[in-house]
Amino acid sequence: MSEGTMQRRAQRDDQRARRTMRAGGLNRLLAAAAAVPVMLIAAGCSSGSDSGSGDDSGAAQKSGGASASTSPSAEPTVQAAAYGALPEACGVLSKKTLTSLVPKAPANGKEGASSDTAARASCSWSSLDNNGVKGSQFRWLNVSLVRFETDAASSGEQQAQEYYAKQVQDVAATAGATNAKSQAVAGTGDQATTVRYDLKKSEGAFKQQTVVSRVENVVVTVDYNGAGLAGDKTPDAAALVKSAELAAKEAVAAVEAANGEGGGGGSSSAAPSQPSSKPSSKAPSKSPSASASASAAKKS
């Protein structure tokens, strides 16, 4: 075989080998390229699955948090009024007490005007014991009862507490009062205060005692004053205070009895007033006060 022929055969073999190598590389490249989308798809599915799981968990947490935060809390309730009735104002004191405090007064007393006796009521007694040339002894007694009903804003007891405090302040601030003194009273409802002072009038020197008491949602105010007129001696203030506090205890006991508690301290004729069909409105800020007492004394 000639040398030229051998060279041509070697070139053909070399070209054939190169074509084979190029074909094998291309096949491998195509195989690799085909595998890439499969991997990307698998990775995308895996990533989507994890992301979905995380979103669900977060949503669940958010949902749980919202549920917990929006759950309704217990609405605060206003306490219902303990007492729904008042006793007859002119029947809260016993005959014995009336004889002692206002000996010359009519036993039945003078009932105060009220549009709703289940919410507010009062009764007064005026006594003038004429001793001729020795002068006379004057006494005036008033019992005021005010009951508060629970409303949407506050309980009847809370309103009574506020009214009680205002009554004590108003009495202590009476115009013209001198030597004013206040003292707590035990055993008379839930709260009780006696305010005493002197009041100089043209008729004589008056000794004023006002006992303000609260029992549950009811405020009881007892005004009691006395004076020696036309030259008679001025009554003893300590004795008048003792009498006023006794009357306050009886009046409070009558309120309790009218609502089914205790035995009552008034006369046997005392009977509870019927509660009105409508919730009573708040009572006026003033009841017969010490100044009214003095005015009544002056008229007498």
Side-chain angles (χ1 to χ4, degrees), residues 74-190:
E75 288 290 335
T77 56
V78 181
Q79 181 181 1
Y83 291 162
L86 291 177
E88 183 184 347
C90 290
V92 297
L93 301 180
S94 66
K95 183 178 180 180
K96 179 181 178 181
T97 297
L98 290 173
T99 300
S100 174
L101 273 64
V102 281
K104 299 299 181 178
N108 53 1
K110 181 180 180 181
E111 186 175 358
S114 174
S115 59
D116 185 0
T117 56
R120 60 191 70 82
S122 64
C123 190
S124 62
W125 298 262
S126 183
S127 171
L128 182 64
D129 187 4
N130 192 339
N131 297 313
V133 295
K134 295 182 180 181
S136 58
Q137 287 290 321
F138 174 80
R139 300 288 186 274
W140 186 81
L141 173 66
N142 184 83
V143 177
S144 172
L145 311 170
V146 182
R147 184 181 67 84
F148 293 86
E149 191 64 75
T150 292
D151 58 26
S154 58
S155 68
E157 183 174 0
Q158 182 180 348
Q159 295 175 58
Q161 290 173 343
E162 294 170 356
Y163 182 73
Y164 164 85
K166 188 177 186 304
Q167 281 288 88
V168 173
Q169 291 177 354
D170 288 350
V171 173
T174 299
T178 59
N179 302 320
K181 298 178 182 178
S182 298
Q183 63 186 42
V185 183
T188 307
D190 299 308

Side-chain angles (χ1 to χ4, degrees), residues 1 16 69 83-84 89 116 159 166 218 283 285:
M1 182 180 295
R16 195 179 294 116
S69 62
Y83 291 162
D116 185 0
Q159 295 175 58
K166 188 177 186 304
V218 176
S285 60

Side-chain angles (χ1 to χ4, degrees), residues 213-267:
S213 310
R214 180 188 69 82
V215 55
E216 297 289 355
N217 57 307
V218 176
V219 176
V220 178
T221 304
V222 173
D223 289 305
Y224 184 50
N225 66 35
L229 307 179
D232 205 346
K233 65 180 181 179
T234 301
D236 178 59
L240 294 179
V241 167
K242 184 177 180 180
S243 295
E245 291 177 352
L246 173 64
K249 283 182 172 64
E250 282 194 12
V252 167
V255 172
E256 293 173 337
N259 290 276
E261 297 182 9
S267 63

Side-chain angles (χ1 to χ4, degrees), residues 274-287:
Q274 293 298 321
S276 69
S277 57
K278 302 183 202 176
S280 62
S281 60
K282 288 188 179 181
S285 60
K286 292 184 180 180
S287 64

